[in-house]
Amino acid sequence: MVVGVVGLGLIGGSAAKAYKAAGHTIYAYDINESVTGFACLEGVVNDVLSCSNLHCCDLLLLTATPKASAEYLRMHAPHIASHTLVIDFCGTKGNICTLGFALAKEYGFTFVGGHPMAGLQFSGYKYSKPTLFNGASFILVPPVHDDIVLLDSVKQHLQPLGFKKFVVTTADFHDKMIAYTSQMCHVVSNAFIKSPSAKQHKGYSAGSFRDFTRVSRLNEAMWTELFLENKEHLLSELDLLINSLCEYRNAIVADDAETLRGLLRDGRIAKEETE
């Protein structure tokens, strides 16, 4: 199989390494030519992905940011062959899926939205590894939800990445859930670590601090784009959290142990119900 990868960061680099380890041919493009050059020198990438070899790809993965992936797709859609399966790995699905489905219909290739539930707090090709996706969940946003042949084809094309579970959904529901399960975690962690107390945590912190602050170390350019692309769903979750935090604060200010105990009990039960 010939696999094209657009964007050689943590996600794209890991995908390229996994497919290469499985014996496939890799063509890749990154806006930073030195990254592509290093991946070629390292033997992960066979050649630079270009208009002259794009039509050879059986699978094309868009692993850059949503805007960069959309721009690449707009520019190169006429050069994508009808047999090529195009899957985006972007963190939001609304805009890229609307564009991808339209261009696929116009030019005759197949487009499916996707999002691997895997990552690290670090970004860049140097942190990529072929096992990043092993055992992870993969979210699929197909053009239609009852095309069993297409869904099976997608699973077969992604098999070298080692996903354990596939979830099929719509672009809007994906973005709603990701606002809560991913984007909120990054916002809250990033805000929490700004306390002056954080600089004095050594010797006073344990697992809860480490786990809670892990994703505060993020790629601010990428996450700014993701937050603004999904602002409606993210703002809804932020408002819910702010209102909830005010309840805790008011109970503490008033020395209202009964209310505080109830809030903590409700949170404990809510966690137990998600397990």
Side-chain angles (χ1 to χ4, degrees), residues 87-93 113-118 137-141 163 174 178 182:
I87 306 177
D88 87 273
F89 276 26
C90 299
T92 55
K93 296 271 76 74
H115 189 181
M117 293 291 95
S137 173
F138 189 83
I139 303 175
L140 283 170
V141 180
F163 293 111
H174 167 277
I178 289 301
S182 177

Side-chain angles (χ1 to χ4, degrees), residues 127-194:
Y127 295 108
S128 63
K129 55 183 180 178
T131 58
L132 181 67
F133 309 107
N134 285 0
S137 173
F138 189 83
I139 303 175
L140 283 170
V141 180
V144 293
H145 286 68
D146 58 354
D147 190 338
I148 303 302
V149 175
L150 173 59
L151 295 178
D152 184 65
S153 175
V154 171
K155 291 179 183 179
Q156 291 300 317
H157 278 78
L158 294 176
Q159 189 274 331
L161 298 184
F163 293 111
K164 183 178 181 180
K165 182 179 181 180
F166 289 87
V167 178
V168 180
T169 188
T170 64
D172 187 65
F173 190 74
H174 167 277
D175 289 353
K176 179 179 185 298
M177 291 305 299
I178 289 301
Y180 175 69
T181 63
S182 177
Q183 294 182 347
M184 277 290 290
C185 298
H186 286 78
V187 169
V188 174
S189 178
N190 193 263
F192 175 80
I193 201 65
K194 293 175 183 176

Side-chain angles (χ1 to χ4, degrees), residues 213-271:
T213 59
R214 181 179 66 83
V215 295
S216 61
R217 182 172 182 172
L218 45 68
N219 180 330
E220 59 269 22
M222 181 186 75
W223 283 99
T224 295
E225 182 178 327
L226 292 173
F227 292 162
L228 294 181
E229 281 227 351
N230 202 28
K231 64 182 292 184
E232 181 179 347
H233 291 306
L234 182 55
L235 285 173
S236 178
E237 292 293 344
L238 271 172
D239 288 342
L240 286 172
L241 178 62
I242 290 169
N243 291 336
S244 183
L245 288 174
C246 286
E247 292 181 336
Y248 287 84
R249 187 183 191 282
N250 292 339
I252 293 170
V253 168
D255 287 321
D256 188 345
E258 183 177 354
T259 296
L260 182 58
R261 189 161 45 247
L263 290 170
L264 294 170
R265 181 193 63 241
D266 292 345
R268 172 180 56 77
I269 294 172
K271 172 58 177 175

Side-chain angles (χ1 to χ4, degrees), residues 13 35-36 46 53 60 64 66 70 82 100 105 111 120 123 147 160 187 191 199 201 223 239 251 260 262 267-268:
V35 173
T36 312
N46 294 85
N53 59 23
L60 179 64
S82 59
K105 184 176 182 180
F111 177 88
L120 299 172
S123 60
D147 190 338
V187 169
K199 293 182 173 62
H201 81 89
W223 283 99
D239 288 342
L260 182 58
R268 172 180 56 77

